[in-house]
Amino acid sequence: MTAAPPLSTAHVAQRTLARPRAGGTAAWLVLAAIVAVGVWAVADLKINVATFVDSADNAVDFAGRMFPLDFPPVGELLELCGKTLAIVVSATLLSVLISVPLAILAAVNTTPHRAVRAGARTLIVLARAVPDVVLAIVFFRIFGLGAMTGVLAMGLHSVGMVGKMYADAVEQIDEGARSAVRAGGAGTFQELVTGVLPQVLPAFVATALHRLDINLRVSVVLGFVGVDGLGYAIATAFQQLDYPRGMALALVVLLLCVAVELLSGAIRRALLRGQDTRKTVAIPVQRGNQVSPGWTFRRARQVAYALVTVLVIAASAWGADLDPAQFFGALGNLGQTAGLFWPPETAGILGQLLDDLWVTVQIALGATVLGAVLAVPIGSLAARNVAPAAWVARTFRMILVLIRGIPELVLAIVFVVITGLGAVAGTLALAVGAIGLLGKLVADSLEEVDSGVEQAIRATGAGRWQVFFTGTLPQAAPAFVAHVLYQLDTNIRSATLLGIVGAGGIGFDLLSASRVIEFGVVTTVLLLVFVTVLLVELLSVWLRHVVR
């Protein structure tokens, strides 16, 4: 008879879960602390049912003063729309032109040296950390009122997002094609043009279209600091308390945003379909010593798209009325203008600036928590694999598109009128905006999970809710955490912008200092915002890296 093993050995169970890592535990504790502070911010700002009940009369009064909407004459309206779109397209094009070489230098597989890569990545982070409204205030001093200020402010700030996504796309290419080109004796430039560019072109175009969509909303904000177009017309109308005209123009912006969102989404989907490698490839045609692809419907369509794109860009550059002489002439006074912003000054209000900076952070945290709470159910119903029926998913997708189409600044103005000046208006405006973006990201994350896991759970007889909570949600959770952090990062910058219309925070100090020509205070506010955004950016990058 075999002796039984010692009791201590028999009861040692094999581990089925990995031991918690110190970094992971710390990251989840930090996330829990962020959520706790966000909940406290909502309570501290006194955003509750009583706030909405007390503001009901103001909402009714505002609605009475808003209707009937007063649209400008058709000719004037078309001119404003054309001007806005021209500025937005030009700014997006500028960001693409800067981002392409910057991404090549920042990508690990194409950079010539590690130090060059670090420098390029640093420039991208800096571009993202400085809010576009701050750039607009500085450029307004250099280039004055007009389109040039908006194109440069939006274009340079966009490099922070476009450059990062372009660099990520370059790092994800299949190196096989590039190695084959290199084996044929091609130089570095030929490698990039023939081995890298064809692979990343769809991602580049999709990113540019996404940024175009974002810049259209931002253009409304920049109108409040002197950038021409619909935003400037809206700012003028609200400053004159002409609510029917201001809200009519805001409705036009909403329709433009929805149209651009639907158009860019359709183009992105067409690009993704164009990447299907199962499609038939035309046999190359040899003419003498040259080999070129044959003309197919697909190639003709691509050429037609390219021609239309060139025409749109040329029309936008003409419509934005960009004057190279103005640009280079203003650069001659750059040193004198830059001297106005240095050294930083506090004008004896450093304590107030720090208090308002903290309010800005409170607004961002509170809006992120409120937005996330509402975005999860709405985004879940917008996901095709979660919604109870296809029409439900389509309906909630359209709701998210409409919410995203409303510029946050317009929401802030409406909430300022309803709830009064202060942080409550800014928090509610950003929370509504967060529902649109976070809801879309949640829906996308849920649709991208491995359907095999869902099918396996469903095969055991699990119901809809059991499949969702045990199969779908756990797979999408890391992506959801990353999206919430991205939203917090975005809200910190947006909270600064909303302050210029009285929605609380340090943005009001920024606008006041620029209007009374206290440029040293403007620099101080810029540095405070820059450091805050950079810290949040670094914290977000670390948390996303740990919890993914």
Side-chain angles (χ1 to χ4, degrees):
M1 185 174 178
T2 306
L7 187 61
S8 58
T9 305
H11 287 75
V12 174
Q14 186 177 1
R15 294 187 65 86
T16 57
L17 295 175
R19 291 182 182 277
R21 293 177 292 114
T25 304
W28 285 109
L29 288 175
V30 171
L31 280 172
I34 291 174
V35 173
V37 175
V39 173
W40 169 81
V42 173
D44 188 60
L45 293 172
K46 296 181 174 55
I47 299 176
N48 48 43
V49 175
T51 303
F52 293 101
V53 172
D54 294 341
S55 304
D57 291 339
N58 293 335
V60 173
D61 180 59
F62 176 71
R65 285 184 288 166
M66 187 178 77
F67 293 107
L69 297 177
D70 177 26
F71 291 92
V74 175
E76 181 183 345
L77 185 60
L78 290 177
E79 184 181 353
L80 286 172
C81 292
K83 190 80 173 177
T84 301
L85 290 173
I87 293 173
V88 169
V89 171
S90 299
T92 307
L93 175 64
L94 175 64
S95 71
V96 170
L97 293 177
I98 297 174
S99 296
V100 170
L102 205 55
I104 298 294
L105 298 175
V108 67
N109 53 337
T110 54
T111 186
H113 193 274
R114 184 179 301 175
V116 175
R117 178 173 183 260
R121 287 280 181 180
T122 302
L123 285 178
I124 291 172
V125 171
L126 290 177
R128 193 162 61 249
V130 181
D132 32 27
V133 71
V134 173
L135 291 174
I137 289 174
V138 174
F139 290 140
F140 176 72
R141 189 66 190 175
I142 300 174
F143 300 103
L145 180 67
M148 186 73 75
T149 296
V151 170
L152 290 174
M154 281 191 289
L156 293 181
H157 178 71
S158 300
V159 171
M161 170 194 158
V162 178
K164 179 184 182 303
M165 297 187 75
Y166 279 13
D168 293 344
V170 172
E171 289 180 348
Q172 293 170 5
I173 64 168
D174 179 3
E175 288 291 338
R178 190 172 164 220
S179 300
V181 173
R182 190 187 305 125
T188 304
F189 182 74
Q190 291 171 309
E191 278 183 40
L192 294 175
V193 172
T194 60
V196 177
L197 186 60
Q199 297 188 63
V200 298
L201 191 58
F204 277 18
V205 175
T207 300
L209 288 170
H210 184 46
R211 189 65 218 184
L212 177 74
D213 185 27
I214 294 174
N215 281 344
L216 182 55
R217 295 174 175 80
V218 172
S219 68
V220 178
V221 179
L222 300 190
F224 282 74
V225 291
V227 174
D228 209 359
L230 280 167
Y232 187 71
I234 292 174
T236 304
F238 281 122
Q239 286 166 3
Q240 297 172 351
L241 303 182
D242 187 357
Y243 296 120
R245 173 60 61 91
M247 292 308 294
L249 292 172
L251 178 61
V252 172
V253 173
L254 168 63
L255 296 177
L256 272 180
C257 288
V258 172
V260 170
E261 167 85 14
L262 295 176
L263 179 63
S264 61
I267 294 175
R268 284 198 294 268
R269 285 192 294 274
L271 286 171
L272 292 176
R273 283 198 299 270
Q275 288 181 290
D276 190 354
T277 55
R278 293 171 298 180
K279 288 188 174 180
T280 304
V281 179
I283 300 174
V285 178
Q286 182 170 3
R287 296 184 180 88
N289 295 327
Q290 293 184 337
V291 178
S292 59
W295 279 97
T296 61
F297 174 75
R298 184 184 174 192
R299 188 183 177 195
R301 186 179 59 185
Q302 290 174 339
V303 172
Y305 285 163
L307 289 175
V308 170
T309 303
V310 170
L311 288 175
V312 169
I313 290 173
S316 300
W318 174 78
D321 197 21
L322 300 177
D323 185 0
Q326 179 199 2
F327 177 77
F328 290 107
L331 286 183
N333 300 323
L334 186 60
Q336 180 183 357
T337 306
L340 297 174
F341 290 87
W342 197 262
E345 296 174 0
T346 60
I349 58 170
L350 181 60
Q352 177 190 330
L353 295 179
L354 293 175
D355 289 342
D356 289 342
L357 180 65
W358 173 239
V359 172
T360 301
V361 175
Q362 270 188 298
I363 292 172
L365 285 168
T368 304
V369 169
L370 288 175
V373 168
L374 295 172
V376 170
I378 295 177
S380 299
L381 289 171
R384 291 191 302 273
N385 56 333
V386 177
W391 68 268
V392 175
R394 287 196 296 271
T395 302
F396 277 89
R397 279 278 182 183
M398 183 53 66
I399 290 173
L400 291 175
V401 169
L402 290 174
I403 294 174
R404 288 191 62 209
I406 306 173
E408 289 162 344
L409 194 75
V410 173
L411 286 171
I413 293 170
V414 172
F415 281 121
V416 163
V417 174
I418 294 175
T419 64
L421 292 169
V424 174
T427 306
L428 293 177
L430 287 182
V432 174
I435 294 171
L437 179 57
L438 262 182
K440 176 185 181 300
L441 295 174
V442 167
D444 292 345
S445 301
L446 292 172
E447 289 181 352
E448 291 168 1
V449 300
D450 183 1
S451 60
V453 176
E454 295 176 311
Q455 292 171 3
I457 297 173
R458 196 175 291 115
T460 64
R464 176 182 296 278
W465 289 107
Q466 291 170 310
V467 172
F468 176 71
F469 282 109
T470 60
T472 310
L473 195 58
Q475 292 187 75
F480 175 66
V481 171
H483 296 329
V484 171
L485 290 171
Y486 172 72
Q487 185 66 61
L488 174 62
D489 190 20
T490 304
N491 280 350
I492 291 280
R493 299 183 183 88
S494 300
T496 304
L497 308 184
L498 299 189
I500 65 177
V501 294
I506 203 168
F508 183 74
D509 300 310
L510 183 68
L511 188 65
S512 301
S514 67
R515 284 179 173 171
V516 299
I517 322 181
E518 287 281 358
F519 296 115
V521 178
V522 170
T523 304
T524 302
V525 173
L526 190 157
L527 291 174
L528 290 173
V529 172
F530 176 77
V531 170
T532 304
V533 169
L534 201 57
L535 289 175
V536 173
E537 171 84 15
L538 293 174
L539 182 64
S540 298
V541 169
W542 173 66
L543 289 173
R544 284 197 291 264
H545 176 73
V546 173
V547 303
R548 68 184 179 183

